[in-house]
Amino acid sequence: MKKNFYKNKIEGFSKLSKLEKIAWVNNTYFHKDNDSFSVLEQYWNNDIDLQKLHDEFSENTISNFIFPLGLAPNFLIDGEDYTIPMAIEESSVVAAACKAAKFWRKRGGFKTKIIDFKKNGQVHFIFKGDKKKLNKFFNKIKVILKKECDKISHNMTKRGGGILNIELFDKTNDIANYFQLNATFDTVDSMGANFINSCLEQFAKTLKKEALLFEPFTEKEKNIEIIMSILSNYVPDCLVRAEVSCPIADLESELTPKQFSEKFYQAINIAKTQKERAVTHNKGIMNGVDAVSIATGNDFRAIEAGIHAYASRNGNYTSLSDLSIKNGVFNFWIELPLSLGTVGGITAIHPIVKWCLKLLKNPTGKELMKLVAVAGLAQNFGAISSLITSGIQKGHMKMHLINILNTLNSNEDEKNKLIHHFKSNIVSFSSVEKELLKLRNNEL
Ligand code: MEV
């Protein structure tokens, strides 16, 4: 075990060329199998500059990881038409979005609202001493903290954003001698991670420097220990709402409108009270949120982390969407914390991301928040509608059929015949395999 571990160790991997990196990985893990090289090579871009651009997004890059980009047209959002780009590999997600878009288009479309637009970050530090003196010190340096960030925040302020507030939080009940500088920011159209982190690191420097000069502090108190300075991906004050509503009588499905709305209501109640269901319910929402976030070059890991933390903000993990049925009106909504950017990061350099943003009419950061929330709500509506009627497997397996056929290396003719066959038969891996075999043996 130990021997193998050392055998595969390599120093200076990042210094190797792309070909050398692949050669090393082939020798070490693929028994010099030439196919391994071709698998990677087939995804290289012929356009050398484009390939270089992609290589430089990350480190130790050896190829490109291709994801399908699908389109969901017919979204009516705040009275405007949208076609939403979705980067996702899961079958039936885009189809569900298309279906929900069409359904709600006939019923007034989606309505959205930005509830709040503040991001935040903290300087985490240890102060061993008199809290009253620390408060005094903080009040004295608050202006200096901001001022010493002027160079960093100048452009952001010009664009209408910047540092909104800085507070001192006493966290000594959680950890001995632990305090935070908690700052809030408006990062306008950028996700703002670099801006926020640069400001926080500057705050930390100012805090340390000014403490040494603060006369009321003892020598020990002057020695503030900075633990770290980093933005928070928990953004409950960067919140957007999306909703749909219609008279219950307009809820056409294979159930009666009354049955549909009642079952839908129960499904939401279950997701609100049972975490086993809430996680899956929210996963369906994230199918939409992540797909649009990826297509628009946003950091979906940050978004996922923030949204799931928000789903447990009251101590219990719960549904992100909610429903009210009052006076015969079905009102379904979602509220999501979303820190997104339409400038900065890879938004101006990744050709597909740029294309997707253009397709979305080059939205501002706030507009993109609305579109992503709609994608999440549409996905959730689609999932619940299927779950409470036909179940999801019928639609899902139909969409998955093509993956099974590809796994079984079927040709175009076989695919067409079997897609036709499975219009009226139940799809499973074994049933497809069996039918394909019959077809190949001329039994169909
Ligand atoms: C599958 O990717 C998502 C669903 O499980 C969501 C849900 O159960 O609500 C269908």
mmCIF file of all heavy atoms in Angstrom, residues 388-411:
data_model
loop_
_atom_site.group_PDB
_atom_site.id
_atom_site.type_symbol
_atom_site.label_atom_id
_atom_site.label_comp_id
_atom_site.label_asym_id
_atom_site.label_seq_id
_atom_site.Cartn_x
_atom_site.Cartn_y
_atom_site.Cartn_z
ATOM 1 N N ILE A 388 -46.665 14.047 -8.674
ATOM 2 C CA ILE A 388 -48.020 13.848 -8.135
ATOM 3 C C ILE A 388 -48.999 13.329 -9.206
ATOM 4 O O ILE A 388 -50.162 13.098 -8.920
ATOM 5 C CB ILE A 388 -48.587 15.137 -7.486
ATOM 6 C CG1 ILE A 388 -48.711 16.266 -8.518
ATOM 7 C CG2 ILE A 388 -47.738 15.554 -6.287
ATOM 8 C CD1 ILE A 388 -49.483 17.466 -7.999
ATOM 9 N N THR A 389 -48.506 13.158 -10.427
ATOM 10 C CA THR A 389 -49.390 12.604 -11.473
ATOM 11 C C THR A 389 -48.806 11.275 -11.974
ATOM 12 O O THR A 389 -48.969 10.250 -11.320
ATOM 13 C CB THR A 389 -49.595 13.610 -12.621
ATOM 14 O OG1 THR A 389 -48.323 14.008 -13.118
ATOM 15 C CG2 THR A 389 -50.361 14.836 -12.153
ATOM 16 N N SER A 390 -48.039 11.332 -13.067
ATOM 17 C CA SER A 390 -47.557 10.073 -13.653
ATOM 18 C C SER A 390 -46.332 9.486 -12.945
ATOM 19 O O SER A 390 -45.955 8.351 -13.200
ATOM 20 C CB SER A 390 -47.192 10.341 -15.106
ATOM 21 O OG SER A 390 -46.287 11.416 -15.154
ATOM 22 N N GLY A 391 -45.690 10.269 -12.046
ATOM 23 C CA GLY A 391 -44.401 9.844 -11.475
ATOM 24 C C GLY A 391 -43.303 10.310 -12.419
ATOM 25 O O GLY A 391 -43.578 10.616 -13.579
ATOM 26 N N ILE A 392 -42.060 10.349 -11.934
ATOM 27 C CA ILE A 392 -41.035 10.923 -12.823
ATOM 28 C C ILE A 392 -40.400 9.891 -13.752
ATOM 29 O O ILE A 392 -39.813 10.242 -14.753
ATOM 30 C CB ILE A 392 -39.905 11.659 -12.063
ATOM 31 C CG1 ILE A 392 -39.193 10.715 -11.120
ATOM 32 C CG2 ILE A 392 -40.374 12.912 -11.413
ATOM 33 C CD1 ILE A 392 -37.742 11.099 -10.987
ATOM 34 N N GLN A 393 -40.516 8.628 -13.424
ATOM 35 C CA GLN A 393 -39.765 7.641 -14.190
ATOM 36 C C GLN A 393 -40.206 7.545 -15.645
ATOM 37 O O GLN A 393 -39.403 7.332 -16.536
ATOM 38 C CB GLN A 393 -39.821 6.263 -13.512
ATOM 39 C CG GLN A 393 -38.858 6.123 -12.363
ATOM 40 C CD GLN A 393 -37.450 6.627 -12.693
ATOM 41 O OE1 GLN A 393 -37.148 7.810 -12.517
ATOM 42 N NE2 GLN A 393 -36.593 5.749 -13.194
ATOM 43 N N LYS A 394 -41.514 7.728 -15.869
ATOM 44 C CA LYS A 394 -42.039 7.610 -17.234
ATOM 45 C C LYS A 394 -41.289 8.572 -18.169
ATOM 46 O O LYS A 394 -40.676 8.156 -19.145
ATOM 47 C CB LYS A 394 -43.548 7.918 -17.218
ATOM 48 C CG LYS A 394 -44.262 7.488 -18.457
ATOM 49 C CD LYS A 394 -45.767 7.600 -18.265
ATOM 50 C CE LYS A 394 -46.458 7.774 -19.606
ATOM 51 N NZ LYS A 394 -47.592 8.684 -19.496
ATOM 52 N N GLY A 395 -41.326 9.846 -17.792
ATOM 53 C CA GLY A 395 -40.664 10.861 -18.618
ATOM 54 C C GLY A 395 -39.160 10.700 -18.579
ATOM 55 O O GLY A 395 -38.474 10.795 -19.599
ATOM 56 N N HIS A 396 -38.645 10.414 -17.397
ATOM 57 C CA HIS A 396 -37.202 10.357 -17.202
ATOM 58 C C HIS A 396 -36.593 9.222 -18.018
ATOM 59 O O HIS A 396 -35.599 9.400 -18.708
ATOM 60 C CB HIS A 396 -36.931 10.153 -15.718
ATOM 61 C CG HIS A 396 -35.510 10.396 -15.340
ATOM 62 N ND1 HIS A 396 -35.014 11.659 -15.163
ATOM 63 C CD2 HIS A 396 -34.483 9.548 -15.153
ATOM 64 C CE1 HIS A 396 -33.739 11.573 -14.857
ATOM 65 N NE2 HIS A 396 -33.398 10.301 -14.856
ATOM 66 N N MET A 397 -37.218 8.044 -17.960
ATOM 67 C CA MET A 397 -36.657 6.901 -18.665
ATOM 68 C C MET A 397 -36.785 7.070 -20.176
ATOM 69 O O MET A 397 -35.937 6.596 -20.925
ATOM 70 C CB MET A 397 -37.312 5.587 -18.197
ATOM 71 C CG MET A 397 -36.948 5.184 -16.785
ATOM 72 S SD MET A 397 -35.185 5.262 -16.385
ATOM 73 C CE MET A 397 -34.548 3.795 -17.181
ATOM 74 N N LYS A 398 -37.846 7.767 -20.605
ATOM 75 C CA LYS A 398 -37.979 8.041 -22.044
ATOM 76 C C LYS A 398 -36.769 8.857 -22.506
ATOM 77 O O LYS A 398 -36.163 8.579 -23.529
ATOM 78 C CB LYS A 398 -39.265 8.859 -22.310
ATOM 79 C CG LYS A 398 -40.513 8.017 -22.334
ATOM 80 C CD LYS A 398 -40.996 7.770 -23.757
ATOM 81 C CE LYS A 398 -41.555 6.369 -23.896
ATOM 82 N NZ LYS A 398 -42.904 6.247 -23.350
ATOM 83 N N MET A 399 -36.432 9.875 -21.689
ATOM 84 C CA MET A 399 -35.297 10.718 -22.055
ATOM 85 C C MET A 399 -33.979 9.942 -21.903
ATOM 86 O O MET A 399 -33.033 10.158 -22.642
ATOM 87 C CB MET A 399 -35.236 11.971 -21.175
ATOM 88 C CG MET A 399 -36.470 12.832 -21.199
ATOM 89 S SD MET A 399 -36.827 13.536 -22.808
ATOM 90 C CE MET A 399 -35.433 14.597 -23.052
ATOM 91 N N HIS A 400 -33.977 9.041 -20.920
ATOM 92 C CA HIS A 400 -32.746 8.304 -20.637
ATOM 93 C C HIS A 400 -32.505 7.185 -21.661
ATOM 94 O O HIS A 400 -31.385 6.686 -21.803
ATOM 95 C CB HIS A 400 -32.855 7.720 -19.225
ATOM 96 C CG HIS A 400 -31.575 7.160 -18.712
ATOM 97 N ND1 HIS A 400 -30.402 7.886 -18.706
ATOM 98 C CD2 HIS A 400 -31.259 5.937 -18.224
ATOM 99 C CE1 HIS A 400 -29.440 7.127 -18.227
ATOM 100 N NE2 HIS A 400 -29.930 5.944 -17.940
ATOM 101 N N LEU A 401 -33.585 6.836 -22.388
ATOM 102 C CA LEU A 401 -33.506 5.760 -23.375
ATOM 103 C C LEU A 401 -32.314 5.938 -24.317
ATOM 104 O O LEU A 401 -31.578 5.001 -24.602
ATOM 105 C CB LEU A 401 -34.835 5.730 -24.161
ATOM 106 C CG LEU A 401 -34.904 4.816 -25.380
ATOM 107 C CD1 LEU A 401 -34.683 3.359 -24.969
ATOM 108 C CD2 LEU A 401 -36.274 4.953 -26.051
ATOM 109 N N ILE A 402 -32.123 7.166 -24.747
ATOM 110 C CA ILE A 402 -31.055 7.428 -25.710
ATOM 111 C C ILE A 402 -29.680 7.145 -25.091
ATOM 112 O O ILE A 402 -28.789 6.630 -25.752
ATOM 113 C CB ILE A 402 -31.178 8.878 -26.268
ATOM 114 C CG1 ILE A 402 -30.529 8.979 -27.637
ATOM 115 C CG2 ILE A 402 -30.686 9.941 -25.366
ATOM 116 C CD1 ILE A 402 -31.424 8.519 -28.725
ATOM 117 N N ASN A 403 -29.542 7.449 -23.790
ATOM 118 C CA ASN A 403 -28.265 7.137 -23.112
ATOM 119 C C ASN A 403 -28.037 5.626 -23.075
ATOM 120 O O ASN A 403 -26.921 5.143 -23.275
ATOM 121 C CB ASN A 403 -28.268 7.648 -21.659
ATOM 122 C CG ASN A 403 -28.132 9.156 -21.592
ATOM 123 O OD1 ASN A 403 -27.738 9.777 -22.565
ATOM 124 N ND2 ASN A 403 -28.470 9.730 -20.454
ATOM 125 N N ILE A 404 -29.131 4.899 -22.795
ATOM 126 C CA ILE A 404 -29.009 3.430 -22.739
ATOM 127 C C ILE A 404 -28.627 2.915 -24.130
ATOM 128 O O ILE A 404 -27.732 2.081 -24.270
ATOM 129 C CB ILE A 404 -30.341 2.782 -22.258
ATOM 130 C CG1 ILE A 404 -30.714 3.303 -20.861
ATOM 131 C CG2 ILE A 404 -30.225 1.259 -22.255
ATOM 132 C CD1 ILE A 404 -32.025 2.788 -20.316
ATOM 133 N N LEU A 405 -29.291 3.443 -25.144
ATOM 134 C CA LEU A 405 -28.991 2.996 -26.512
ATOM 135 C C LEU A 405 -27.548 3.314 -26.886
ATOM 136 O O LEU A 405 -26.877 2.511 -27.534
ATOM 137 C CB LEU A 405 -29.966 3.664 -27.503
ATOM 138 C CG LEU A 405 -31.412 3.137 -27.421
ATOM 139 C CD1 LEU A 405 -32.365 4.037 -28.193
ATOM 140 C CD2 LEU A 405 -31.495 1.706 -27.937
ATOM 141 N N ASN A 406 -27.066 4.468 -26.443
ATOM 142 C CA ASN A 406 -25.662 4.812 -26.716
ATOM 143 C C ASN A 406 -24.718 3.890 -25.967
ATOM 144 O O ASN A 406 -23.682 3.484 -26.494
ATOM 145 C CB ASN A 406 -25.389 6.270 -26.347
ATOM 146 C CG ASN A 406 -25.925 7.221 -27.411
ATOM 147 O OD1 ASN A 406 -26.065 6.855 -28.577
ATOM 148 N ND2 ASN A 406 -26.265 8.435 -27.007
ATOM 149 N N THR A 407 -25.088 3.578 -24.714
ATOM 150 C CA THR A 407 -24.236 2.668 -23.935
ATOM 151 C C THR A 407 -24.137 1.319 -24.644
ATOM 152 O O THR A 407 -23.098 0.658 -24.619
ATOM 153 C CB THR A 407 -24.842 2.465 -22.521
ATOM 154 O OG1 THR A 407 -25.127 3.738 -21.976
ATOM 155 C CG2 THR A 407 -23.917 1.703 -21.596
ATOM 156 N N LEU A 408 -25.240 0.917 -25.297
ATOM 157 C CA LEU A 408 -25.262 -0.389 -25.975
ATOM 158 C C LEU A 408 -24.769 -0.289 -27.429
ATOM 159 O O LEU A 408 -24.937 -1.225 -28.206
ATOM 160 C CB LEU A 408 -26.690 -0.954 -25.938
ATOM 161 C CG LEU A 408 -27.221 -1.267 -24.524
ATOM 162 C CD1 LEU A 408 -28.704 -1.568 -24.552
ATOM 163 C CD2 LEU A 408 -26.452 -2.432 -23.911
ATOM 164 N N ASN A 409 -24.166 0.857 -27.750
ATOM 165 C CA ASN A 409 -23.589 1.070 -29.089
ATOM 166 C C ASN A 409 -24.575 0.838 -30.225
ATOM 167 O O ASN A 409 -24.246 0.231 -31.250
ATOM 168 C CB ASN A 409 -22.377 0.142 -29.317
ATOM 169 C CG ASN A 409 -21.227 0.545 -28.451
ATOM 170 O OD1 ASN A 409 -21.015 1.737 -28.240
ATOM 171 N ND2 ASN A 409 -20.512 -0.435 -27.925
ATOM 172 N N SER A 410 -25.809 1.281 -30.065
ATOM 173 C CA SER A 410 -26.775 1.061 -31.150
ATOM 174 C C SER A 410 -26.579 2.110 -32.246
ATOM 175 O O SER A 410 -26.188 3.249 -31.973
ATOM 176 C CB SER A 410 -28.201 1.084 -30.617
ATOM 177 O OG SER A 410 -28.367 2.141 -29.747
ATOM 178 N N ASN A 411 -26.864 1.709 -33.486
ATOM 179 C CA ASN A 411 -26.713 2.641 -34.602
ATOM 180 C C ASN A 411 -28.000 3.468 -34.781
ATOM 181 O O ASN A 411 -28.990 3.234 -34.088
ATOM 182 C CB ASN A 411 -26.311 1.895 -35.882
ATOM 183 C CG ASN A 411 -27.384 0.904 -36.298
ATOM 184 O OD1 ASN A 411 -28.581 1.147 -36.094
ATOM 185 N ND2 ASN A 411 -26.962 -0.218 -36.867
#
